């Protein structure tokens, strides 16, 4: 039996009969401010009905599926409507988005899908690109591929049920056979990445040797750089003509939206100006303060008191584990632009299994040039009061831009301060080599990269093989630090403890030391911002700005 067109199915669907007076009007200039509980709730609002019809029209334009008779032994995958309000930088609802997703948890490996992996850009890669663009004086643009996953071709034979409340009145027992990926399918991200990768390579782009989400195109003496994060795309280059040409190519191949200067990306608010590029999370900070009822809380000068000594506190009052974990998770993403709270958040995160009042109070306190490459590493020996493991801290700067940092407990107990510092330096070396390899795709070359350590003993272990007779117990994987020193990849340099930038990631500090290191890392405190434009955007004492000034 022949299948009717998708448009005819909508007109005869139960949803259209339910809301026949509003099903086919032009898109309203207004949006709904609520998010429906389910599809029956959404059908009472014309804005959400419009959003659902817009989604189904995308399916028709992209030739996503065909309505067919179900084959023998067919077990179609269910579908579900997901409703989400998209907000602008000011927190206002700008669009009602209805997404039809497949219930991928019903898929069977080897039948409905094979490979699922798709690369995703690291936040460090995003910060490196921001720093590079600022140093070269060009502004980054952004684009969003509309219904990106609907562009990815799938190789498997997959059938899905008809959309809830939009079933065909003429053929209610038929199912959709997918030509392309559907949101929710396990292979959907991989299929979309493969489609976009194929298009960029055919357009003469070259994929990064380390970062597979980075693509570059050289034309004459000009270069355009493209960084992708699923369906969000950042791009920019030394030639405006090349940038506009790329945007035009993408618009012809895919349906695009939100094209313009990079301002909001993965919850990061970005301001590109002549003074530099500033990254902050003011909106996100306000949201988590509101979420945990801390909007009226008193701001603190440091994220953790130097008198704080967290342990398991078995005699303390138990607090809500779900809420505590929610606070930790929210703060962990805030560290994307707030390196000054990295240590405090990671320390509190160690007590998620059995949080007490003392842990909850500590978390709430938290919530209150040329492009040279260099790294800093430090360690707090036996800093954990439970298992006496040390804390490694590292940070890496490109020019004056802080692009990467970490604070984590070491995997094994260090027998000395020297050993702890040596392990931290090995971790920093590994990250520096990754950044160096990534920057090579940008055409940047580095000789010996300085790694600044405040322990002369740790430096001696790396430089003098004789000392290794006394360090046989150290895991072999950490000795690659010496190998890369001998190869000339890094240069171990001693720095006095007062100038050790990584110190802020190892332990609580007094306010003067904390404020000094925070400033040297490029984090601007609200009270110190003179730029009226930027100051007007900052409304919370919690809000910090990472200045990627070059």
């Amino acid at each position: 039996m022949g299948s009717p067109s998708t448009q005819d199915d909508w007109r005869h669907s139960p949803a259209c009969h339910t809301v026949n007076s509003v099903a086919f009007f032009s898109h309203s200039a207004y949006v709904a401010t609520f998010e429906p509980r389910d599809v029956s709730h959404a059908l009472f609002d014309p804005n959400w009905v419009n959003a659902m019809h817009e989604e189904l029209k995308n399916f028709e334009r992209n030739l996503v599926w065909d309505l067919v008779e179900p084959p023998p032994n067919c077990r179609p995958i269910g579908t579900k409507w997901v409703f989400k309000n998209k907000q602008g930088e000011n927190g206002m609802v700008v669009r009602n988005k209805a997404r039809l997703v497949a219930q991928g948890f019903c898929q069977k490996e080897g039948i409905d899908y094979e490979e699922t992996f798709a690369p995703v850009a690291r936040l460090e890669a995003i910060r490196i690109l921001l720093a590079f663009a600022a140093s070269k004086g060009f502004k980054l643009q952004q684009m969003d591929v509309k219904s990106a996953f609907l562009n990815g071709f799938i190789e498997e034979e997959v059938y899905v049920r008809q959309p809830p409340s939009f079933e065909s009145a003429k053929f209610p027992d038929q199912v959709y056979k997918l030509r392309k990926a559907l949101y929710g399918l396990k292979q959907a991200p991989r299929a979309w990445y493969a489609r976009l990768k194929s298009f960029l390579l055919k357009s003469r782009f070259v994929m990064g040797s380390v970062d597979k989400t980075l693509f570059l195109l050289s034309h004459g003496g000009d270069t355009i750089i493209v960084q992708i994060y699923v369906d969000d795309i950042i791009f920019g280059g030394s030639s405006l003509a090349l940038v506009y040409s790329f945007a035009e190519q993408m618009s012809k191949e895919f349906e695009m939206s939100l094209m313009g200067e990079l301002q909001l990306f993965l919850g990061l608010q970005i301001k590109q100006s002549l003074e530099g590029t500033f990254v902050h999370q003011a909106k996100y900070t306000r949201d988590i303060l509101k979420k945990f009822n801390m909007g009226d809380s008193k701001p603190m000068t440091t994220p953790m008191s130097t008198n704080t000594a967290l342990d398991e506190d078995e005699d303390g009052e138990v607090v809500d584990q779900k809420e505590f974990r929610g606070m930790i998770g929210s703060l962990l993403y805030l560290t994307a632009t707030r390196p000054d709270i990295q240590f405090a958040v990671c320390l509190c995160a160690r007590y998620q299994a059995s949080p007490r009042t003392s842990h909850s109070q500590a978390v709430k306190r938290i919530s209150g040039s040329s492009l040279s490459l260099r790294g800093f590493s430090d360690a707090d020996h036996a800093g954990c009061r439970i298992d006496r493991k040390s804390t490694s801290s590292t940070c890496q700067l490109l020019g004056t831009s802080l692009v990467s940092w970490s604070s984590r407990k070491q995997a094994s107990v260090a027998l000395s301060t020297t050993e702890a510092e040596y392990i931290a330096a090995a971790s920093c070396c590994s990250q520096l080599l990754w950044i160096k390899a990534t920057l090579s795709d940008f055409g940047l070359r580095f000789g010996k990269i300085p790694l600044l350590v405040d322990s002369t003993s740790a430096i001696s272990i790396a430089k003098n093989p004789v000392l290794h007779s006394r360090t046989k117990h150290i895991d072999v994987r950490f000795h690659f630090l010496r190998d890369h020193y001998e190869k000339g990849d890094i240069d171990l340099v001693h720095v006095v403890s007062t100038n050790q930038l990584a110190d802020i990631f190892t332990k609580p500090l007094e306010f003067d030391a904390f404020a000094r290191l925070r400033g040297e890392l490029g984090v601007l405190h609200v009270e110190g911002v003179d730029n009226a434009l930027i100051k007007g955007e900052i409304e919370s004492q919690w809000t910090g700005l990472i200045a990627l000034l070059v």
Side-chain angles (χ1 to χ4, degrees), residues 59-72:
F59 282 36
E60 183 179 22
R61 282 193 297 269
N62 287 284
L63 304 176
V64 173
W65 54 19
D66 295 307
L67 192 62
V68 300
E69 290 287 348

Side-chain angles (χ1 to χ4, degrees), residues 18-178:
T18 303
V19 287
N20 54 11
S21 61
V22 294
F24 286 99
F25 55 83
S26 60
H27 186 69
S28 171
Y30 302 99
V31 293
T33 57
F34 72 98
E35 291 183 356
R37 298 185 302 271
D38 50 42
V39 65
S40 60
H41 188 205
L43 290 175
F44 287 100
D45 188 281
N47 294 291
W48 284 112
V49 174
N50 251 351
M52 288 186 284
H53 279 293
E54 182 182 355
E55 175 77 346
L56 293 175
K57 287 176 184 176
N58 286 334
F59 282 36
E60 183 179 22
R61 282 193 297 269
N62 287 284
L63 304 176
V64 173
W65 54 19
D66 295 307
L67 192 62
V68 300
E69 290 287 348
N73 302 319
C74 173
R75 298 183 62 182
I77 299 170
T79 56
K80 179 182 179 181
W81 286 104
V82 176
F83 305 99
K84 187 70 176 178
N85 283 329
K86 299 196 75 171
Q87 298 179 343
E89 189 175 352
N90 58 3
M92 298 293 291
V93 177
V94 295
R95 185 186 177 197
N96 299 134
K97 181 61 182 177
R99 179 80 71 191
L100 182 68
V101 302
Q103 296 176 323
F105 57 84
C106 298
Q107 289 183 266
K108 303 292 184 182
E109 186 175 2
I111 300 177
D112 299 316
Y113 72 95
E114 297 291 344
E115 296 291 335
T116 61
F117 172 77
V120 177
R122 297 168 59 173
L123 279 175
E124 294 99 319
I126 303 300
R127 288 192 287 262
I128 289 172
L129 178 56
L130 288 170
F132 180 80
S135 72
K136 298 302 181 182
F138 63 81
K139 287 189 176 182
L140 294 171
Q141 310 293 314
Q142 67 182 139
M143 62 172 65
D144 176 71
V145 182
K146 206 168 184 180
S147 301
F149 284 8
L150 304 185
N151 291 280
F153 295 97
I154 59 175
E155 300 176 358
E156 301 83 6
E157 193 170 281
V158 181
Y159 298 89
V160 298
R161 295 192 181 97
Q162 298 185 43
S165 296
F166 285 82
E167 297 88 351
S168 170
K170 293 182 179 180
F171 308 98
D173 297 326
Q174 292 191 355
V175 295
Y176 280 108
K177 181 181 179 181
L178 296 182

Side-chain angles (χ1 to χ4, degrees), residues 380-491:
D380 180 28
H381 180 238
C384 181
R385 291 169 59 89
I386 299 175
D387 54 20
R388 308 310 294 174
K389 291 180 181 178
S390 306
T391 297
S392 291
S393 64
T394 69
C395 61
Q396 294 77 29
L397 292 92
L398 181 61
T400 56
S401 304
L402 182 66
V403 295
S404 178
W405 58 88
S406 70
S407 175
R408 57 173 60 94
K409 188 164 65 170
Q410 294 179 2
S412 58
V413 177
L415 301 183
S416 65
T417 300
T418 299
E419 181 182 343
E421 295 275 4
Y422 184 73
I423 293 173
S427 176
C428 185
C429 175
S430 175
Q431 184 71 353
L432 284 172
L433 294 176
W434 177 82
I435 295 175
K436 178 182 179 181
T438 299
L439 289 171
S440 67
D441 292 324
F442 290 86
L444 298 179
R445 300 291 184 267
F446 300 94
K448 285 187 176 181
I449 304 173
L451 199 171
L452 291 85
V453 184
D454 60 7
S455 170
T456 55
S457 299
I459 294 175
S460 296
I461 290 177
K463 289 184 176 182
N464 187 355
V466 176
L467 290 177
H468 282 276
S469 61
R470 290 179 287 172
T471 57
K472 292 180 179 179
H473 63 284
I474 299 178
D475 197 323
V476 175
R477 64 194 174 103
F478 297 118
H479 289 318
F480 89 106
L481 175 66
R482 179 188 61 172
D483 295 336
H484 285 287
Y485 169 76
E486 293 177 348
K487 291 177 182 177
D489 293 329
I490 63 166
D491 184 20

Side-chain angles (χ1 to χ4, degrees), residues 136-296:
K136 298 302 181 182
F138 63 81
K139 287 189 176 182
L140 294 171
Q141 310 293 314
Q142 67 182 139
M143 62 172 65
D144 176 71
V145 182
K146 206 168 184 180
S147 301
F149 284 8
L150 304 185
N151 291 280
F153 295 97
I154 59 175
E155 300 176 358
E156 301 83 6
E157 193 170 281
V158 181
Y159 298 89
V160 298
R161 295 192 181 97
Q162 298 185 43
S165 296
F166 285 82
E167 297 88 351
S168 170
K170 293 182 179 180
F171 308 98
D173 297 326
Q174 292 191 355
V175 295
Y176 280 108
K177 181 181 179 181
L178 296 182
R179 297 182 185 178
K180 296 182 179 179
L182 201 63
Y183 282 86
L185 289 181
K186 294 183 181 294
Q187 65 266 49
R190 183 179 181 87
W192 158 242
Y193 172 77
R195 172 76 189 280
L196 180 57
K197 172 186 171 182
S198 175
F199 171 74
L200 292 175
L201 294 179
K202 286 180 181 178
S203 302
R204 298 182 293 111
F205 278 84
V206 177
M207 186 166 58
S209 58
V210 177
D211 185 357
K212 301 306 178 182
T213 63
L214 178 69
F215 294 84
L216 304 99
L217 172 65
S218 296
H219 182 74
D222 294 313
T223 302
I224 182 172
I225 303 171
V226 177
Q227 184 87 59
I228 61 176
Y229 191 100
V230 191
D231 57 348
D232 291 313
I233 300 173
I234 303 175
F235 63 102
S238 53
S239 167
L240 286 178
L242 206 57
V243 170
Y244 292 148
S245 175
F246 169 71
E248 184 178 356
Q249 280 183 294
M250 289 291 291
S251 297
K252 289 180 179 178
E253 183 72 12
F254 309 103
E255 189 174 358
M256 311 300 301
S257 61
L258 302 177
M259 297 178 64
E261 184 178 324
L262 178 62
Q263 295 181 337
L264 186 63
F265 185 76
L266 301 179
L268 309 180
Q269 293 169 255
I270 300 167
K271 177 65 180 178
Q272 301 178 83
S273 67
L274 295 176
E275 292 80 13
T277 299
F278 299 86
V279 185
H280 64 98
Q281 290 172 285
K283 177 183 177 299
Y284 178 76
T285 302
R286 290 193 296 269
D287 289 344
I288 61 176
L289 284 171
K290 181 179 179 181
K291 179 180 179 180
F292 297 108
N293 300 315
M294 295 181 61
D296 298 325

Side-chain angles (χ1 to χ4, degrees), residues 308-314 347 351 354 356 358-359 385-386:
T308 299
L310 289 184
D311 54 26
E312 289 183 320
D313 192 15
E314 295 181 352
L347 178 59
Y351 303 98
S354 181
R356 309 288 172 164
S358 58
H359 307 139
R385 291 169 59 89
I386 299 175

